[in-house]
Coordinates of all heavy atoms in Angstrom, one line a residue:
M26 N 109.1 102.1 110.3 CA 108.9 103.5 110.1 C 109.5 103.9 108.7 O 110.6 103.5 108.3 CB 109.7 104.3 111.2 CG 109.8 105.8 110.9 SD 110.7 106.7 112.2 CE 109.4 107.0 113.3
Y27 N 108.7 104.6 107.9 CA 109.1 105.1 106.6 C 110.1 106.3 106.8 O 110.0 107.1 107.7 CB 107.9 105.6 105.8 CG 107.0 104.5 105.3 CD1 105.8 104.2 105.9 CD2 107.4 103.7 104.2 CE1 104.9 103.2 105.5 CE2 106.5 102.7 103.8 CZ 105.3 102.4 104.4 OH 104.5 101.5 104.0
D28 N 111.0 106.4 105.8 CA 111.8 107.6 105.8 C 110.9 108.9 105.4 O 111.1 109.9 106.0 CB 112.9 107.5 104.7 CG 114.0 106.5 105.1 OD1 114.3 106.5 106.3 OD2 114.5 105.8 104.2
A29 N 109.9 108.6 104.6 CA 109.1 109.8 104.2 C 107.7 109.3 103.8 O 107.5 108.1 103.3 CB 109.7 110.5 103.0
I30 N 106.7 110.2 103.9 CA 105.4 110.0 103.4 C 105.1 111.2 102.5 O 105.3 112.3 102.9 CB 104.3 109.7 104.5 CG1 104.4 108.3 105.0 CG2 102.9 110.0 103.9 CD1 103.5 108.0 106.1
I31 N 104.6 110.9 101.3 CA 104.2 112.0 100.4 C 102.7 112.0 100.3 O 102.1 111.0 100.0 CB 104.8 111.8 99.0 CG1 106.3 111.8 99.1 CG2 104.3 112.9 98.0 CD1 107.0 111.4 97.8
V32 N 102.1 113.2 100.5 CA 100.6 113.3 100.4 C 100.3 114.0 99.1 O 100.6 115.2 99.0 CB 100.1 114.1 101.6 CG1 98.5 114.1 101.6 CG2 100.5 113.4 102.9
G33 N 99.7 113.3 98.2 CA 99.4 113.8 96.9 C 100.0 113.0 95.8 O 101.0 112.2 96.1
S34 N 99.5 113.1 94.6 CA 100.1 112.4 93.5 C 100.2 113.2 92.2 O 100.2 112.7 91.1 CB 99.3 111.1 93.2 OG 97.9 111.4 93.0
G35 N 100.3 114.5 92.3 CA 100.5 115.4 91.2 C 102.0 115.5 90.8 O 102.8 114.8 91.3
P36 N 102.3 116.5 90.0 CA 103.7 116.7 89.5 C 104.7 116.9 90.6 O 105.8 116.3 90.5 CB 103.6 118.0 88.6 CG 102.2 118.0 88.2 CD 101.4 117.4 89.3
A37 N 104.4 117.6 91.7 CA 105.3 117.8 92.8 C 105.6 116.5 93.5 O 106.8 116.2 93.8 CB 104.8 118.9 93.8
A38 N 104.6 115.8 93.7 CA 104.7 114.5 94.4 C 105.5 113.5 93.6 O 106.4 112.8 94.1 CB 103.3 113.9 94.7
V39 N 105.2 113.4 92.3 CA 105.9 112.5 91.4 C 107.4 112.9 91.4 O 108.3 112.0 91.5 CB 105.4 112.6 89.9 CG1 106.2 111.9 89.0 CG2 103.9 112.0 89.9
S40 N 107.7 114.2 91.2 CA 109.1 114.6 91.2 C 109.9 114.2 92.5 O 111.0 113.7 92.4 CB 109.2 116.1 91.0 OG 110.5 116.6 91.1
A41 N 109.3 114.4 93.6 CA 109.9 114.1 94.9 C 110.0 112.6 95.0 O 111.1 112.1 95.5 CB 109.0 114.6 96.1
A42 N 109.0 111.8 94.6 CA 109.1 110.4 94.7 C 110.2 109.8 93.9 O 110.9 108.9 94.3 CB 107.7 109.8 94.3
L43 N 110.4 110.3 92.7 CA 111.4 109.8 91.8 C 112.8 110.0 92.4 O 113.7 109.1 92.4 CB 111.4 110.4 90.4 CG 110.1 110.1 89.6 CD1 110.1 111.0 88.3 CD2 110.1 108.6 89.2
T44 N 113.0 111.2 93.0 CA 114.3 111.5 93.7 C 114.5 110.6 94.9 O 115.6 110.1 95.1 CB 114.3 113.0 94.1 OG1 114.2 113.8 92.9 CG2 115.6 113.3 94.8
L45 N 113.5 110.4 95.7 CA 113.7 109.6 96.9 C 113.9 108.1 96.5 O 114.7 107.4 97.2 CB 112.4 109.7 97.8 CG 112.1 111.0 98.5 CD1 110.8 111.0 99.2 CD2 113.2 111.3 99.5
K46 N 113.3 107.7 95.4 CA 113.5 106.3 95.0 C 114.9 106.1 94.5 O 115.6 105.1 94.8 CB 112.5 106.0 93.8 CG 112.6 104.6 93.3 CD 112.1 103.6 94.2 CE 112.1 102.2 93.6 NZ 111.5 101.2 94.5
L47 N 115.5 107.1 93.7 CA 116.8 107.0 93.2 C 117.9 107.0 94.4 O 118.9 106.4 94.2 CB 117.1 108.2 92.3 CG 116.4 108.2 91.0 CD1 116.6 109.5 90.2 CD2 117.0 107.0 90.1
H48 N 117.5 107.5 95.5 CA 118.4 107.5 96.7 C 118.0 106.4 97.7 O 118.5 106.4 98.8 CB 118.3 108.9 97.4 CG 119.0 110.0 96.7 ND1 118.5 110.6 95.6 CD2 120.3 110.5 96.9 CE1 119.4 111.5 95.2 NE2 120.5 111.5 95.9
E49 N 117.2 105.5 97.2 CA 116.9 104.3 97.9 C 116.3 104.5 99.3 O 116.6 103.8 100.3 CB 118.1 103.4 98.0 CG 118.6 102.9 96.7 CD 119.8 102.0 96.8 OE1 120.5 102.0 97.8 OE2 120.1 101.3 95.8
K50 N 115.4 105.5 99.4 CA 114.7 105.8 100.7 C 113.4 105.1 100.7 O 112.8 104.8 99.7 CB 114.5 107.3 100.9 CG 115.8 108.1 100.9 CD 116.7 107.6 102.1 CE 118.0 108.4 102.2 NZ 118.9 107.9 103.3
S51 N 113.0 104.7 101.9 CA 111.7 104.0 102.0 C 110.6 105.1 102.2 O 110.7 106.1 103.0 CB 111.7 103.2 103.3 OG 111.8 103.9 104.5
F52 N 109.6 105.0 101.4 CA 108.5 106.0 101.5 C 107.2 105.4 101.0 O 107.2 104.4 100.3 CB 108.9 107.3 100.7 CG 109.0 107.0 99.2 CD1 107.9 107.2 98.3 CD2 110.2 106.6 98.6 CE1 108.0 107.0 97.0 CE2 110.3 106.4 97.3 CZ 109.3 106.6 96.4
C53 N 106.1 106.1 101.3 CA 104.8 105.8 100.8 C 104.2 107.0 100.3 O 104.3 108.1 100.8 CB 104.0 105.2 102.0 SG 102.4 104.5 101.5
I54 N 103.5 106.9 99.2 CA 102.8 108.0 98.5 C 101.3 107.8 98.5 O 100.8 106.8 98.0 CB 103.4 108.3 97.1 CG1 102.6 109.4 96.4 CG2 103.4 107.1 96.3 CD1 103.3 109.9 95.2
F55 N 100.6 108.7 99.2 CA 99.1 108.6 99.2 C 98.5 109.6 98.2 O 98.8 110.8 98.3 CB 98.6 108.9 100.6 CG 99.0 107.9 101.7 CD1 99.8 108.3 102.7 CD2 98.6 106.6 101.6 CE1 100.2 107.4 103.7 CE2 99.0 105.7 102.6 CZ 99.8 106.1 103.6
G56 N 97.6 109.1 97.3 CA 97.0 109.9 96.4 C 96.2 109.1 95.4 O 95.9 107.9 95.7
S57 N 95.8 109.7 94.3 CA 95.0 109.0 93.3 C 95.9 108.4 92.2 O 96.8 109.0 91.7 CB 94.0 110.0 92.6 OG 93.4 109.4 91.5
R58 N 95.6 107.1 91.9 CA 96.4 106.5 90.8 C 96.1 107.1 89.4 O 96.8 106.9 88.5 CB 96.1 105.0 90.8 CG 96.5 104.2 92.0 CD 96.5 102.7 91.8 NE 96.9 102.0 93.1 CZ 96.0 101.5 93.9 NH1 94.7 101.5 93.6 NH2 96.4 100.9 95.0
A59 N 95.1 107.9 89.4 CA 94.8 108.7 88.1 C 95.6 109.9 88.0 O 95.5 110.7 87.1 CB 93.3 109.0 88.1
M60 N 96.5 110.1 89.0 CA 97.4 111.2 89.1 C 96.7 112.5 89.3 O 95.7 112.6 90.0 CB 98.3 111.2 87.8 CG 98.9 109.9 87.4 SD 100.0 109.2 88.7 CE 101.5 110.2 88.5
S61 N 97.1 113.6 88.6 CA 96.6 114.9 88.8 C 95.4 115.2 87.9 O 95.5 115.1 86.7 CB 97.6 116.0 88.6 OG 97.1 117.3 88.5
R62 N 94.2 115.5 88.5 CA 93.1 115.8 87.6 C 93.3 117.2 86.9 O 92.9 117.3 85.8 CB 91.8 116.0 88.5 CG 91.3 114.6 89.1 CD 90.0 114.8 89.8 NE 89.5 113.6 90.3 CZ 88.3 113.5 90.9 NH1 87.6 114.5 91.1 NH2 87.9 112.3 91.3
K63 N 94.0 118.1 87.6 CA 94.3 119.4 86.9 C 95.2 119.2 85.7 O 94.9 119.8 84.6 CB 95.0 120.3 87.9 CG 95.4 121.6 87.3 CD 96.2 122.4 88.3 CE 96.8 123.7 87.7 NZ 97.6 124.5 88.6
V64 N 96.2 118.4 85.8 CA 97.1 118.1 84.6 C 96.2 117.4 83.5 O 96.3 117.7 82.4 CB 98.3 117.3 85.0 CG1 99.1 116.9 83.8 CG2 99.2 118.0 86.0
E65 N 95.5 116.4 83.9 CA 94.7 115.6 83.0 C 93.8 116.5 82.2 O 93.5 116.2 81.0 CB 93.9 114.5 83.8 CG 93.1 113.6 82.9 CD 94.0 112.6 82.2 OE1 95.1 112.3 82.6 OE2 93.5 112.0 81.2
S66 N 93.2 117.5 82.8 CA 92.2 118.3 82.1 C 92.8 119.5 81.3 O 92.1 120.2 80.7 CB 91.2 118.9 83.1 OG 91.9 119.7 84.1
S67 N 94.2 119.6 81.3 CA 94.8 120.7 80.6 C 94.8 120.4 79.1 O 95.3 119.3 78.7 CB 96.3 120.8 81.0 OG 96.3 121.2 82.4
E68 N 94.2 121.3 78.3 CA 94.1 121.0 76.9 C 95.4 121.0 76.1 O 95.7 120.1 75.3 CB 93.1 122.1 76.3 CG 92.8 121.8 74.8 CD 91.9 122.8 74.2 OE1 91.4 123.7 75.0 OE2 91.6 122.8 73.0
K69 N 96.2 122.0 76.4 CA 97.5 122.1 75.8 C 98.6 122.6 76.8 O 98.3 123.5 77.6 CB 97.5 123.1 74.6 CG 96.7 122.7 73.5 CD 96.7 123.7 72.3 CE 95.8 123.3 71.2 NZ 95.8 124.3 70.1
I70 N 99.8 122.0 76.8 CA 100.9 122.4 77.6 C 102.1 122.7 76.7 O 102.6 121.8 76.0 CB 101.2 121.3 78.6 CG1 100.1 121.0 79.5 CG2 102.5 121.6 79.4 CD1 100.2 119.8 80.4
A71 N 102.5 123.9 76.8 CA 103.6 124.4 75.8 C 104.9 124.8 76.5 O 105.9 125.1 75.8 CB 103.1 125.5 75.0

């Protein structure tokens, strides 16, 4: 049994995954390895 499952691979999912990893929790993240399409298509981020 996993401690957590994360559904998605965008910024929110990445942020949560990093925190869970630092606290040595077992988890699985389901999403696209291409990460967030919305972020990818952003022309400029300021």
Side-chain angles (χ1 to χ4, degrees):
M26 173 183 270
Y27 290 104
D28 288 322
I30 283 179
I31 300 172
V32 184
S34 56
V39 171
S40 177
L43 293 172
T44 298
L45 292 174
K46 182 70 174 182
L47 289 169
H48 285 79
E49 300 181 340
K50 297 302 179 182
S51 63
F52 64 92
C53 188
I54 176 169
F55 294 117
S57 170
R58 294 193 184 101
M60 314 300 285
S61 168
R62 291 187 178 185
K63 177 185 173 183
V64 174
E65 185 74 21
S66 62
S67 298
E68 184 177 358
K69 293 180 180 180
I70 298 171

